[in-house]
Amino acid sequence: MHKGFRVGLTGGMGSGKSTVARFLSQRGAYLIDADAISRETTSRGGSALDELVLAFGPDIIGTDGGLDRVKMRELAFNNPDARRRLESIVHPLVKASIELATLRADAMSAPCLVYDIPLLIESRHWRQTLETIVVVDCTEGTQIDRVRQRSGLTETEVRAVLRAQAVRARRLRAADYVIFNDGITLNELEALTQQISVQFGL
């Protein structure tokens, strides 16, 4: 079976990682979005819901029939045990879906697979399966401003989420390529992405 070039894409919240992922997809990469898969498992009818209710109670389900993400976020970031329990339920399901998507991409002879994984650096699993790692980077101040604008979270809430992610220096040490997305236009970000994508056969 054909095996496409494996690229790990990561970056802190608000870095612009999802925008870079979209640019890579537009250039022909097969995108596997771990966040989207995770949301699917916890949406109405999702494969994680029954076990989440057993672990955290029925109040964790929102009016739309899916996981109440605001309640779960507050619980997970204020209680390390709850966060570990949440991850132990959701992460194996996400991993299985990613493996299935990889098989599908290889069967299609996709030239390049981009794994968009927010916690890529925190996981020991990914490094040996990837051929290169791209980190989208910006200053912490820019992260906080962007996330507050798009989510309505307070600065304290944003900082709590950032503390749960790999520190910026650790991400940068793990990177083979860095896209610094701070103080540049969307067109400039697309140009930087294009320059790097050539290395991946795109």
Side-chain angles (χ1 to χ4, degrees):
M1 182 184 291
H2 169 87
K3 182 179 177 182
F5 192 82
R6 265 80 162 141
V7 178
L9 175 67
T10 194
M13 186 172 62
S15 64
K17 173 180 59 64
S18 295
T19 303
V20 170
R22 176 165 53 84
F23 290 149
L24 289 170
S25 178
Q26 289 169 354
R27 292 190 60 78
Y30 188 102
L31 180 62
I32 299 176
D33 184 339
D35 257 355
I37 293 170
S38 178
R39 286 192 297 271
E40 188 177 306
T41 69
T42 58
S43 296
R44 183 183 181 91
S47 54
L49 283 187
D50 288 347
E51 199 168 349
L52 288 171
V53 170
L54 285 174
F56 301 109
D59 288 346
I60 209 67
I61 301 301
T63 55
D64 64 352
L67 180 69
D68 186 323
R69 300 182 197 286
V70 174
K71 282 185 181 178
M72 192 71 250
R73 183 173 59 240
E74 290 173 353
L75 182 60
F77 285 106
N78 292 320
N79 184 332
D81 287 338
R83 182 176 171 221
R84 282 191 289 270
R85 182 68 180 130
L86 170 67
E87 290 174 348
S88 73
I89 294 169
V90 174
H91 285 187
L93 297 171
V94 173
K95 183 173 178 286
S97 292
I98 288 174
E99 289 172 350
L100 187 61
T102 298
L103 290 173
R104 191 178 300 121
D106 286 342
M108 294 168 56
S109 298
C112 174
L113 284 68
V114 172
Y115 297 84
D116 180 350
I117 302 175
L119 301 180
L120 186 149
I121 306 304
E122 294 85 332
S123 169
R124 297 177 183 177
H125 165 73
W126 289 104
R127 176 72 265 194
Q128 64 268 28
T129 69
L130 300 170
E131 283 151 303
T132 195
I133 290 177
V134 177
V135 169
V136 185
D137 183 51
C138 65
T139 64
E140 185 174 286
T142 297
Q143 283 183 277
I144 292 169
D145 289 345
R146 287 174 179 166
V147 175
R148 289 189 65 189
Q149 287 173 15
R150 78 185 186 200
S151 69
L153 296 175
T154 66
E155 181 173 341
T156 300
E157 289 170 328
V158 176
R159 288 188 182 277
V161 177
L162 292 178
R163 282 197 298 271
Q165 298 183 341
V167 296
R168 183 181 176 199
R170 185 180 170 197
R171 274 196 301 271
L172 293 174
R173 282 197 303 270
D176 298 303
Y177 298 91
V178 175
I179 297 175
F180 188 62
N181 179 29
D182 209 326
I184 63 174
T185 67
L186 198 59
N187 286 340
E188 288 170 330
L189 179 60
E190 184 173 13
L192 289 173
T193 304
Q194 182 175 337
Q195 288 172 17
I196 288 178
S197 71
V198 174
Q199 310 299 318
F200 315 146
L202 297 174

